[in-house]
Amino acid sequence: MNVDFPGLGTLVNVGTFVVGSLLGMAVGHRLPQRTHAVVTDILGLVTLLVAALSAVAVTDAAFVAATGSGAPVLIVLGSLLIGGIAGSLLRIEDRLEGLAGTIQGWLARRTDARRSSGRRASHRPVLIDATETGQDHAARERFIEGWLTASLLFCVGPLAILGSLSDGLGRGIDQLLLKSVLDGFAALAFASSFGVGVLLSAVSVGVVQGLVTLAGVLLGSVLPDAHIAALTATGGLMLVGIGLRLLHLKQIPVGDLLPALVVAPLLTQLVIVLR
């Protein structure tokens, strides 16, 4: 499917993501906690599967031919190390969580204001529940986890990058259409567990994929297959970190690893030049 309008694939992706999130929020309160836990575990397992399929790009023929048989793994390792160190120094994960907390707090204040207006209109006394503080904290943590996890999962995946690049390069939106279907169902499952934070992560998806699409438009056909394979393999290992977080096995600061997606193609080019 060839489309002359760069960005159409991302618009479709965001649309299905929003629909899936709204459906998940609509039915989420009807599901017991154990069901939420099972859904999250399933998503963690599937994320590990997708991560494994993405990490296999380290054996890509173009990648190996351009850098040598032993270099691809070292390039991925170096990208994660350099990117992780830079990200931790910049405190990207903390800043993302802070941003999510700020958005959640703004939404909570608007909700409280509407509730207070409703109470005054009905002339009912406002009672302060001793458990409200704890509930607000739990809601904040749930919002942050949902927004951050969904944003990272749907933005870091290989389909997000490869599909957006393909869109920008004028090669069609087939990959993003496939991602849209997957994201719609995944957003439904995530929103049933994490709520409105997942819905607002659609903004992150739109911004990140829009920027990658723009990069594809600017790069044209300059980006070689080896660089894309390096980026895909690096993103695959980052998805492993997200899977481990969803399974509550290890809270890897995946946000701090995001610079690795920029380092991977640059390091690949450096190896090719020095080889």
Side-chain angles (χ1 to χ4, degrees):
M1 180 182 295
N2 293 319
V3 179
D4 294 330
F5 169 40
L8 177 60
T10 294
L11 291 178
V12 173
N13 196 174
V14 170
T16 58
F17 192 93
V18 169
V19 172
S21 299
L22 291 174
L23 289 176
M25 292 168 60
V27 303
H29 65 282
R30 302 177 183 176
L31 300 176
Q33 184 59 40
R34 63 179 180 276
T35 303
H36 288 180
V38 169
V39 168
T40 303
D41 289 342
I42 291 172
L43 290 172
L45 293 173
V46 173
T47 300
L48 290 179
L49 173 61
V50 175
L53 295 174
S54 302
V56 171
V58 77
T59 63
D60 182 82
F63 193 12
V64 174
T67 60
S69 58
V73 173
L74 295 178
I75 289 174
V76 173
L77 173 62
S79 300
L80 289 172
L81 285 174
I82 296 172
I85 292 172
S88 64
L89 292 176
L90 294 173
R91 298 174 58 237
I92 294 178
E93 177 98 348
D94 292 340
R95 295 179 191 278
L96 287 174
E97 291 184 353
L99 175 60
T102 300
I103 296 173
Q104 192 274 337
W106 177 75
L107 289 174
R109 286 192 296 271
R110 287 178 61 90
T111 301
D112 291 341
R114 286 196 296 268
R115 288 176 180 173
S116 298
S117 298
R119 287 168 178 167
R120 287 194 297 268
S122 60
H123 304 287
R124 289 182 299 182
V126 178
L127 301 178
I128 299 176
D129 191 338
T131 62
E132 280 190 5
T133 301
Q135 290 175 348
D136 289 345
H137 178 74
R140 175 188 175 89
E141 292 299 317
R142 183 165 168 262
F143 179 93
I144 291 174
E145 187 67 19
W147 183 83
L148 183 60
T149 299
S151 294
L152 291 176
L153 177 62
F154 297 117
C155 293
V156 172
L159 280 178
I161 297 168
L162 297 180
S164 299
L165 280 175
S166 178
D167 187 7
L169 293 171
R171 298 176 181 174
I173 62 172
D174 297 31
Q175 296 179 45
L176 284 182
L177 290 180
L178 171 61
K179 181 177 183 293
S180 298
V181 176
L182 296 174
D183 285 2
F185 284 105
L188 189 154
F190 265 100
S192 69
S193 297
F194 295 110
V196 70
V198 177
L199 174 62
L200 290 186
S201 67
V203 177
S204 305
V205 173
V207 170
V208 172
Q209 290 186 185
L211 290 175
V212 176
T213 300
L214 178 60
V217 172
L218 296 177
L219 289 174
S221 58
V222 175
L223 197 63
D225 292 338
H227 298 64
I228 296 177
L231 192 150
T232 301
T234 302
L237 289 184
M238 294 171 66
L239 284 174
V240 172
I242 295 175
L244 295 178
R245 288 177 63 143
L246 290 173
L247 293 171
H248 303 290
L249 296 177
K250 176 71 174 179
Q251 291 298 312
I252 297 175
V254 182
D256 289 341
L257 301 180
L258 287 176
L261 296 176
V262 177
V263 176
L266 296 177
L267 195 56
T268 300
Q269 181 61 34
L270 177 62
V271 171
I272 292 175
V273 171
L274 296 178
R275 186 168 181 247

